[in-house]
Amino acid sequence: MRLLYIITKYLTFPGSYMRCVWEHITCRILKLMVEPAGYMRLDEACGHVEHSLAKSQFAAYLIATGPGFMNFNMGLVFFFFGYINVFQLGITPYENVVMFIIYIISMYIGVSMLCCLFPLTEDILNFWDIAYSKSAKKTVGGKAADSVGKVLGFPFAAVTRLGAFLEKNCIIFILWVAFIVWQCIAIF
Amino acid sequence: MAKILNEDIEPSATPDTEPEVTEEEAKTADESAAEAAENIEETEELKEEEQTAGGRPVCPRCGEKTVSKGHEYCYRCEEALSKTKLPFLGKIFAILSLAACLFCLLIVCLQAASGVQVLKGDKYSAEKNWFSAYTSYNGVASVQSEIKGILGDGSKLNYFISSGYGLKTRIFNTLVHVYDPIKAYQSATFAYGEGVSEKYLAKDEVYQRCKAEYERFEKTYTVILDTVNLMDELQEITPENGETIISMLEDYRGEKDVDNVILDYFIYSAAKYYDLSEEELDKYIDELNGDAEKSGEDFYWLYYKDVAADLISLKKYEDSVPYIEKLISEDSSDYDSTAMLMRVYLQTGEKDKAQAVVDEYCKKNTLEDGGDSDSNYSLRINMMRVNGDYEGALNLIAEAMEANQSNPEYYRQSALVYLAQGKYDEAYEAAYNAEQNAYYLAAYYGETEYYTSDILMATVYVSTSACKEFGEKNTTNAQYIDEVLEDYKDAALPKVVREWAAGEIELADILTKGACDFI
């Protein structure tokens, strides 16, 4: 599974690398320590940045979801840029080869970013532990604000936790490949 | 290090005994003592250092400073690690990707409306509402044209505002279902545009299928062309001439390039044209169905509508229903078939079913703003007229004309309502306007199908003839009555209209069972 994970990370190189960049920037903002060990290491942390765990709820939440949020937004834009033109407006290589290739590359970059949305399980579990465990400390703003924040953040945290598991086991990558193949069969 | 020192300074076992020490042994002992003393000093220095740091570990990164409790690294290393620089490649990627993302976002925003049109078209295609799908797909061109107008002619972004052959194939596919494969192939240039890539067409399955159908039809027609020419020479429409023609057509069966089903269709058309008996028509319909079933292909587009119309004219309403239902199942926007089914249920007294058919059609074919489309209005007007609600029909026609004043069908329906009410002058005026509007659409928009349709010809001829015979002829266009009738002198009018012209049937018969009424 580790080998498969590394292979998918290299196959989705643009998304993996960009995720590392956003993660690194987020760590710099939160003043978390970052090991300068390279982004595309051949281990379980491939496509992620080795960093110290955040201590506060907000920092832990931001490091878990922030880079994925950036990848998600950019990935959607790149993906739809190619998808609308190829699959809906029907641009083919028979009329404009250069633009067709650009749209395909854009879709590839978009899909690769959308395959690299979720953090390592350690990060999300760190947040989960800080925010939802019995020993979780109260945040600034008191009990009411803390409860509201936990309720509002719960869906995103739950999705991120599930997503981290799916990404770790390459399921998201497989789902995207299946979607693209299905669209190609339906349209072409 | 402490263990060694302890061994060196261990006291001797017999303190009372003083062994004899030689000079050499004394020197060695002195050296050992000096060495031991040095070791003691080092150990004490180390102990002193440890005691000074409070027992804290050294930083594993720099190996120099100590690490505070609860930290992994020393203070300076922690600060350095929290400022680890992004790699140069990462910075370049980030800047380029942000710039590219902004550009792509702009194009996505500009193309989004076109994409939504295609999605609408796909939804209608999935529902087999082919005319609505065709309208939606065609809407992409107008949306893009508007966007380009906003951007301006010189804008470089216009290069990205385009559509491709994939969309054209979708449009072509809707034409295949709205018309039939043969007509669609003949209008392929309209769908794909001039200069379409031959390589693309070679791999376009929809186009290739239509081309195959067209070639099969053309080949059969070419073989029987002599017989078709003979039909033009035989001026009289009599059963005897019909049997001659059919017998000649039968002789072609089994020849190379002659398709059985298409030959059956020509034979059936000839039988209909020459007014053969009901039994003969039934026989040819059965042959047509049999050969179509044997071929294993679906030929509903070739003859179902004609057969359904003929069965209705023969009052075989129940027999016509399966054909009409098949047509509607293949195209839920098929107005003609829906109108036929409505008429069948009205004739058999099943008014609720007729209303349900109309309601179902209107629900699927409303405009985007929820209003009624032209075909919705036409159907509802038709329903009211055949139900005898003439005033309601005229009111609905007035409402429909507010939305679309140039639709010739609304004038034609008005003419039929006035004929039913015995208002022949108004009927003539309405029919005249119907023809004028149809001509306008044909001449300026290329929509010739309605202008040459049987139902328009029949309505204009009957209204004009009735006005000439029964009307007061004091309307605006009454001066053209003779001219109109002269134009229709040699026209191929439907059988019931010819019968009425010959005085064999009454006007009411045309309005209740003739070509004017439901197709």
Short mmCIF file of all heavy atoms in Angstrom, two decimals, chain B residues 124-131 173-174 176-178 298-301 304 323-334 337:
data_model
loop_
_atom_site.label_atom_id
_atom_site.label_comp_id
_atom_site.label_asym_id
_atom_site.label_seq_id
_atom_site.Cartn_x
_atom_site.Cartn_y
_atom_site.Cartn_z
N TYR B 124 -32.31 17.47 -21.67
CA TYR B 124 -33.43 17.24 -22.58
C TYR B 124 -33.19 16.01 -23.44
O TYR B 124 -34.10 15.24 -23.73
CB TYR B 124 -33.64 18.46 -23.50
CG TYR B 124 -34.26 19.65 -22.81
CD1 TYR B 124 -33.71 20.92 -22.94
CD2 TYR B 124 -35.41 19.51 -22.03
CE1 TYR B 124 -34.27 22.01 -22.31
CE2 TYR B 124 -35.97 20.60 -21.40
CZ TYR B 124 -35.39 21.84 -21.54
OH TYR B 124 -35.96 22.93 -20.91
N SER B 125 -31.95 15.80 -23.86
CA SER B 125 -31.64 14.61 -24.67
C SER B 125 -31.91 13.35 -23.88
O SER B 125 -32.44 12.37 -24.42
CB SER B 125 -30.16 14.63 -25.09
OG SER B 125 -29.90 15.69 -25.96
N ALA B 126 -31.54 13.36 -22.61
CA ALA B 126 -31.79 12.19 -21.76
C ALA B 126 -33.29 11.91 -21.64
O ALA B 126 -33.72 10.77 -21.55
CB ALA B 126 -31.18 12.39 -20.37
N GLU B 127 -34.09 13.00 -21.67
CA GLU B 127 -35.55 12.84 -21.59
C GLU B 127 -36.18 12.60 -22.96
O GLU B 127 -37.39 12.51 -23.09
CB GLU B 127 -36.17 14.12 -21.01
CG GLU B 127 -35.83 14.37 -19.56
CD GLU B 127 -36.23 15.77 -19.11
OE1 GLU B 127 -36.77 16.55 -19.93
OE2 GLU B 127 -35.99 16.09 -17.93
N LYS B 128 -35.32 12.55 -24.01
CA LYS B 128 -35.78 12.40 -25.40
C LYS B 128 -36.68 13.55 -25.83
O LYS B 128 -37.58 13.37 -26.64
CB LYS B 128 -36.49 11.06 -25.61
CG LYS B 128 -35.55 9.88 -25.45
CD LYS B 128 -36.18 8.61 -25.94
CE LYS B 128 -35.18 7.47 -25.84
NZ LYS B 128 -35.71 6.20 -26.31
N ASN B 129 -36.42 14.69 -25.27
CA ASN B 129 -37.14 15.90 -25.69
C ASN B 129 -36.23 16.60 -26.69
O ASN B 129 -35.53 17.57 -26.37
CB ASN B 129 -37.40 16.78 -24.46
CG ASN B 129 -38.34 17.93 -24.78
OD1 ASN B 129 -38.54 18.28 -25.94
ND2 ASN B 129 -38.92 18.50 -23.75
N TRP B 130 -36.22 16.09 -27.92
CA TRP B 130 -35.17 16.43 -28.88
C TRP B 130 -35.24 17.86 -29.39
O TRP B 130 -34.21 18.48 -29.64
CB TRP B 130 -35.17 15.44 -30.06
CG TRP B 130 -34.89 14.05 -29.60
CD1 TRP B 130 -35.78 13.02 -29.51
CD2 TRP B 130 -33.64 13.53 -29.14
NE1 TRP B 130 -35.17 11.90 -29.01
CE2 TRP B 130 -33.85 12.18 -28.79
CE3 TRP B 130 -32.37 14.07 -28.99
CZ2 TRP B 130 -32.84 11.38 -28.29
CZ3 TRP B 130 -31.35 13.26 -28.49
CH2 TRP B 130 -31.60 11.94 -28.16
N PHE B 131 -36.45 18.38 -29.54
CA PHE B 131 -36.53 19.74 -30.04
C PHE B 131 -36.01 20.73 -29.00
O PHE B 131 -35.27 21.67 -29.33
CB PHE B 131 -37.97 20.11 -30.42
CG PHE B 131 -38.06 21.45 -31.08
CD1 PHE B 131 -37.66 21.64 -32.39
CD2 PHE B 131 -38.51 22.56 -30.38
CE1 PHE B 131 -37.71 22.88 -33.00
CE2 PHE B 131 -38.57 23.81 -30.98
CZ PHE B 131 -38.16 23.97 -32.29
N ASN B 173 -27.24 15.02 -33.70
CA ASN B 173 -27.98 13.91 -33.11
C ASN B 173 -29.43 14.32 -32.82
O ASN B 173 -30.35 13.51 -32.97
CB ASN B 173 -27.28 13.46 -31.83
CG ASN B 173 -27.81 12.13 -31.33
OD1 ASN B 173 -28.12 11.24 -32.11
ND2 ASN B 173 -27.94 12.01 -30.02
N THR B 174 -29.64 15.56 -32.42
CA THR B 174 -31.02 15.99 -32.16
C THR B 174 -31.80 16.06 -33.48
O THR B 174 -32.97 15.72 -33.53
CB THR B 174 -31.08 17.36 -31.47
OG1 THR B 174 -30.46 18.35 -32.32
CG2 THR B 174 -30.41 17.33 -30.13
N VAL B 176 -31.36 14.18 -36.00
CA VAL B 176 -31.66 12.80 -36.39
C VAL B 176 -32.99 12.36 -35.79
O VAL B 176 -33.79 11.67 -36.42
CB VAL B 176 -30.53 11.85 -35.93
CG1 VAL B 176 -30.92 10.39 -36.14
CG2 VAL B 176 -29.25 12.15 -36.69
N HIS B 177 -33.24 12.79 -34.56
CA HIS B 177 -34.46 12.37 -33.88
C HIS B 177 -35.64 13.27 -34.15
O HIS B 177 -36.78 12.83 -34.14
CB HIS B 177 -34.20 12.28 -32.37
CG HIS B 177 -33.29 11.18 -31.98
ND1 HIS B 177 -31.92 11.32 -31.90
CD2 HIS B 177 -33.54 9.88 -31.69
CE1 HIS B 177 -31.38 10.18 -31.55
NE2 HIS B 177 -32.33 9.28 -31.42
N VAL B 178 -35.39 14.56 -34.35
CA VAL B 178 -36.50 15.46 -34.67
C VAL B 178 -37.04 15.17 -36.08
O VAL B 178 -38.25 15.16 -36.30
CB VAL B 178 -36.04 16.93 -34.56
CG1 VAL B 178 -37.08 17.88 -35.15
CG2 VAL B 178 -35.78 17.31 -33.11
N ASP B 298 -34.66 -0.83 -36.31
CA ASP B 298 -35.82 -0.05 -35.90
C ASP B 298 -36.11 0.98 -36.99
O ASP B 298 -35.37 1.94 -37.18
CB ASP B 298 -35.52 0.67 -34.59
CG ASP B 298 -36.78 1.14 -33.90
OD1 ASP B 298 -37.85 1.12 -34.53
OD2 ASP B 298 -36.69 1.53 -32.71
N PHE B 299 -37.22 0.76 -37.72
CA PHE B 299 -37.57 1.66 -38.83
C PHE B 299 -38.73 2.58 -38.51
O PHE B 299 -39.42 3.06 -39.41
CB PHE B 299 -37.94 0.81 -40.07
CG PHE B 299 -36.75 0.33 -40.85
CD1 PHE B 299 -36.27 -0.96 -40.68
CD2 PHE B 299 -36.12 1.16 -41.75
CE1 PHE B 299 -35.17 -1.41 -41.40
CE2 PHE B 299 -35.02 0.72 -42.47
CZ PHE B 299 -34.54 -0.57 -42.31
N TYR B 300 -38.92 2.85 -37.22
CA TYR B 300 -40.09 3.67 -36.85
C TYR B 300 -40.05 5.02 -37.56
O TYR B 300 -41.08 5.58 -37.93
CB TYR B 300 -40.12 3.87 -35.33
CG TYR B 300 -39.13 4.87 -34.80
CD1 TYR B 300 -39.47 6.22 -34.68
CD2 TYR B 300 -37.84 4.48 -34.47
CE1 TYR B 300 -38.56 7.14 -34.22
CE2 TYR B 300 -36.92 5.40 -34.01
CZ TYR B 300 -37.27 6.73 -33.90
OH TYR B 300 -36.36 7.64 -33.47
N TRP B 301 -38.82 5.54 -37.75
CA TRP B 301 -38.67 6.87 -38.35
C TRP B 301 -39.08 6.86 -39.83
O TRP B 301 -39.39 7.91 -40.40
CB TRP B 301 -37.22 7.34 -38.25
CG TRP B 301 -36.22 6.35 -38.81
CD1 TRP B 301 -35.61 5.35 -38.13
CD2 TRP B 301 -35.79 6.23 -40.17
NE1 TRP B 301 -34.81 4.62 -38.98
CE2 TRP B 301 -34.88 5.14 -40.23
CE3 TRP B 301 -36.07 6.93 -41.35
CZ2 TRP B 301 -34.26 4.74 -41.41
CZ3 TRP B 301 -35.44 6.54 -42.52
CH2 TRP B 301 -34.56 5.45 -42.55
N TYR B 304 -43.76 5.00 -39.52
CA TYR B 304 -44.77 4.96 -38.45
C TYR B 304 -45.75 6.12 -38.52
O TYR B 304 -46.95 5.94 -38.31
CB TYR B 304 -44.07 4.93 -37.08
CG TYR B 304 -43.77 3.55 -36.57
CD1 TYR B 304 -43.33 2.54 -37.43
CD2 TYR B 304 -43.93 3.22 -35.23
CE1 TYR B 304 -43.05 1.27 -36.96
CE2 TYR B 304 -43.65 1.95 -34.74
CZ TYR B 304 -43.21 0.98 -35.62
OH TYR B 304 -42.93 -0.27 -35.15
N TYR B 323 -48.39 2.72 -32.93
CA TYR B 323 -47.44 3.46 -33.77
C TYR B 323 -47.16 4.85 -33.18
O TYR B 323 -46.02 5.29 -33.08
CB TYR B 323 -48.01 3.64 -35.19
CG TYR B 323 -48.14 2.35 -35.96
CD1 TYR B 323 -49.36 1.66 -36.00
CD2 TYR B 323 -47.07 1.81 -36.65
CE1 TYR B 323 -49.48 0.47 -36.71
CE2 TYR B 323 -47.19 0.64 -37.36
CZ TYR B 323 -48.40 -0.04 -37.38
OH TYR B 323 -48.52 -1.21 -38.08
N ILE B 324 -48.25 5.51 -32.76
CA ILE B 324 -48.10 6.87 -32.23
C ILE B 324 -47.33 6.85 -30.92
O ILE B 324 -46.47 7.70 -30.67
CB ILE B 324 -49.47 7.54 -32.03
CG1 ILE B 324 -50.26 7.55 -33.33
CG2 ILE B 324 -49.29 8.97 -31.53
CD1 ILE B 324 -51.69 8.01 -33.17
N GLU B 325 -47.65 5.87 -30.07
CA GLU B 325 -46.95 5.80 -28.78
C GLU B 325 -45.46 5.54 -28.98
O GLU B 325 -44.63 6.08 -28.23
CB GLU B 325 -47.59 4.72 -27.91
CG GLU B 325 -48.92 5.16 -27.32
CD GLU B 325 -49.57 4.11 -26.44
OE1 GLU B 325 -49.17 2.93 -26.53
OE2 GLU B 325 -50.47 4.47 -25.67
N LYS B 326 -45.11 4.74 -29.95
CA LYS B 326 -43.70 4.51 -30.24
C LYS B 326 -43.02 5.81 -30.67
O LYS B 326 -41.92 6.15 -30.23
CB LYS B 326 -43.58 3.44 -31.34
CG LYS B 326 -42.18 3.29 -31.94
CD LYS B 326 -41.18 2.71 -30.96
CE LYS B 326 -39.84 2.46 -31.68
NZ LYS B 326 -38.79 2.03 -30.76
N LEU B 327 -43.72 6.56 -31.53
CA LEU B 327 -43.15 7.84 -31.99
C LEU B 327 -42.94 8.79 -30.81
O LEU B 327 -41.91 9.45 -30.72
CB LEU B 327 -44.09 8.48 -33.01
CG LEU B 327 -44.12 7.83 -34.40
CD1 LEU B 327 -45.34 8.29 -35.19
CD2 LEU B 327 -42.85 8.12 -35.17
N ILE B 328 -43.91 8.87 -29.93
CA ILE B 328 -43.80 9.78 -28.79
C ILE B 328 -42.73 9.31 -27.82
O ILE B 328 -42.00 10.12 -27.24
CB ILE B 328 -45.17 9.92 -28.06
CG1 ILE B 328 -46.16 10.65 -28.98
CG2 ILE B 328 -45.02 10.69 -26.75
CD1 ILE B 328 -47.56 10.73 -28.44
N SER B 329 -42.58 7.99 -27.67
CA SER B 329 -41.55 7.48 -26.76
C SER B 329 -40.15 7.81 -27.29
O SER B 329 -39.20 7.95 -26.53
CB SER B 329 -41.70 5.98 -26.56
OG SER B 329 -41.28 5.28 -27.70
N GLU B 330 -40.02 7.90 -28.62
CA GLU B 330 -38.71 8.22 -29.20
C GLU B 330 -38.44 9.73 -29.21
O GLU B 330 -37.30 10.16 -29.30
CB GLU B 330 -38.63 7.67 -30.63
CG GLU B 330 -38.58 6.16 -30.71
CD GLU B 330 -37.31 5.58 -30.12
OE1 GLU B 330 -36.28 6.28 -30.10
OE2 GLU B 330 -37.35 4.42 -29.67
N ASP B 331 -39.50 10.52 -29.16
CA ASP B 331 -39.32 11.98 -29.17
C ASP B 331 -40.49 12.62 -28.44
O ASP B 331 -41.58 12.75 -29.00
CB ASP B 331 -39.25 12.50 -30.61
CG ASP B 331 -39.04 14.02 -30.66
OD1 ASP B 331 -38.83 14.63 -29.59
OD2 ASP B 331 -39.09 14.58 -31.77
N SER B 332 -40.26 13.01 -27.19
CA SER B 332 -41.36 13.58 -26.40
C SER B 332 -41.73 14.98 -26.84
O SER B 332 -42.69 15.55 -26.33
CB SER B 332 -41.01 13.56 -24.91
OG SER B 332 -39.89 14.38 -24.67
N SER B 333 -40.95 15.56 -27.78
CA SER B 333 -41.30 16.89 -28.29
C SER B 333 -42.01 16.81 -29.64
O SER B 333 -42.19 17.83 -30.31
CB SER B 333 -40.03 17.74 -28.43
OG SER B 333 -39.17 17.19 -29.43
N ASP B 334 -42.42 15.58 -30.04
CA ASP B 334 -43.05 15.38 -31.34
C ASP B 334 -44.49 15.90 -31.30
O ASP B 334 -45.41 15.23 -30.81
CB ASP B 334 -43.02 13.89 -31.70
CG ASP B 334 -43.52 13.61 -33.11
OD1 ASP B 334 -44.14 14.50 -33.73
OD2 ASP B 334 -43.29 12.48 -33.60
N SER B 337 -47.24 13.83 -33.61
CA SER B 337 -47.68 12.55 -33.06
C SER B 337 -48.56 12.77 -31.84
O SER B 337 -49.55 12.06 -31.65
CB SER B 337 -46.46 11.70 -32.66
OG SER B 337 -45.64 11.47 -33.78
#
